[in-house]
Amino acid sequence: TTTTTTTTTTRCATTTEAHPRQPRGLRVAASGVNDAAKTTGGTIARRQALKHALNAAFVASVLTAGDRAWAILPGNDDEDEAFLQKAKENRANRIQSEVSKEKAYVNDTGLKQDENTAKIQLAVYKLSKSGGMIESGALADAAGELSGSWVSDTQAGADALGAASEAKSFASAVSALQGKCANGDDAGAKSAYGGAAKALRALASAAGVESKLRLL
């Protein structure tokens, strides 16, 4: 009996040494930490899932709203066509009005002008008008005014009146002026305008029509 008791006691001691028991308080504390970690992890996971769900719902609402917005927009092909037609008519009216003004200007000199002189008179009008635009800073408008067939018409009229060389110089000066205006070069445009005006006076003098022109 003594031998059996000793053996049992030895086994219990060995087991206790191999797997020492933790105090009860430590086991409870460890269990609480594990439970808290599990709770925190679960909370984070739920928050992330909720965040993803809200993002998905927001994107879906935006797409749906966009579809509804397009759906409620009425077709306006007819309105667009009417607008374009109106714009064309307005442009045509402006062009016609401008042509009428040019003719009135040319015919209102108080002097009898032949066809070639009238072409040079129109050049005076165009150059004067572009000068006013340059002075007010409307360089793009001045560039548009300096384009068109009137420059070649002026050359043709001057050629017929024996001022071909001066007509070529004038056309070159107008081209330089237009380039300055198109590039938005305010100082350059003002300087080039002076050169074009001087070239036009030289043309009129060589053509023998300087005294027949208005506001040269």
Side-chain angles (χ1 to χ4, degrees), residues 72-165:
I72 64 176
L73 287 176
N76 58 358
D77 291 343
D78 292 340
E79 292 180 4
D80 290 345
E81 185 64 28
F83 176 79
L84 292 175
Q85 184 62 33
K86 185 64 175 178
K88 290 179 181 179
E89 291 176 359
N90 290 340
R91 184 173 183 277
N93 290 336
R94 285 196 302 270
I95 292 174
Q96 185 61 40
S97 176
E98 187 64 25
V99 171
S100 297
K101 288 179 181 179
E102 291 172 0
K103 289 181 178 179
Y105 178 87
V106 170
N107 295 328
D108 192 30
T109 60
L111 299 171
K112 186 176 180 180
Q113 293 181 340
D114 56 43
E115 182 181 357
N116 294 319
T117 303
K119 290 178 180 178
I120 299 174
Q121 181 66 70
L122 180 58
V124 175
Y125 172 79
K126 288 288 192 179
L127 193 61
S128 177
K129 186 176 180 180
S130 65
M133 292 174 175
I134 293 170
E135 189 65 27
S136 65
L139 298 183
D141 292 337
E145 193 66 33
L146 292 165
S147 63
S149 61
W150 68 269
V151 179
S152 59
D153 290 342
T154 301
Q155 279 189 279
D159 288 348
L161 295 172
S165 177

Side-chain angles (χ1 to χ4, degrees), residues 173-198:
V174 171
S175 178
L177 174 58
Q178 184 186 26
K180 296 294 183 181
C181 292
N183 292 330
D185 184 354
D186 184 68
K190 290 177 179 178
S191 177
Y193 179 80
K198 183 177 179 180

